[in-house]
Amino acid sequence: MSRHTRYISRTLSDDAWQITDAEGQHTARLTGTEKDAIARAHRQLASHGGGNVLVTDLE
């Protein structure tokens, strides 16, 4: 079974985050902290049996 991946990146807003899947499809956008975004991505992955969460940098 392959593990799923979610990528988290900051949007142009300082407190907003975008979550995408391995194919680059948008899965969520939320306002909050990086920790909030990571928790949301892990919840998404839990329904698929787990996976990896990676934080990417826009700079």
Side-chain angles (χ1 to χ4, degrees):
M1 177 177 175
S2 77
R3 298 199 30 103
H4 298 276
T5 303
R6 290 293 184 269
Y7 296 92
I8 299 171
S9 59
R10 187 180 300 274
T11 66
L12 296 177
S13 174
D14 285 341
D15 64 346
W17 300 86
Q18 177 173 297
I19 302 172
T20 55
D21 64 15
E23 290 78 37
Q25 296 296 314
H26 178 264
T27 63
R29 180 184 162 102
L30 66 139
T31 302
T33 65
E34 181 178 328
K35 185 176 177 179
D36 296 334
I38 292 169
R40 173 79 173 268
H42 278 293
R43 284 194 304 271
Q44 288 181 358
L45 290 169
S47 66
H48 296 289
N52 299 312
V53 174
L54 303 171
V55 179
T56 60
D57 196 357
L58 288 177
E59 297 179 62

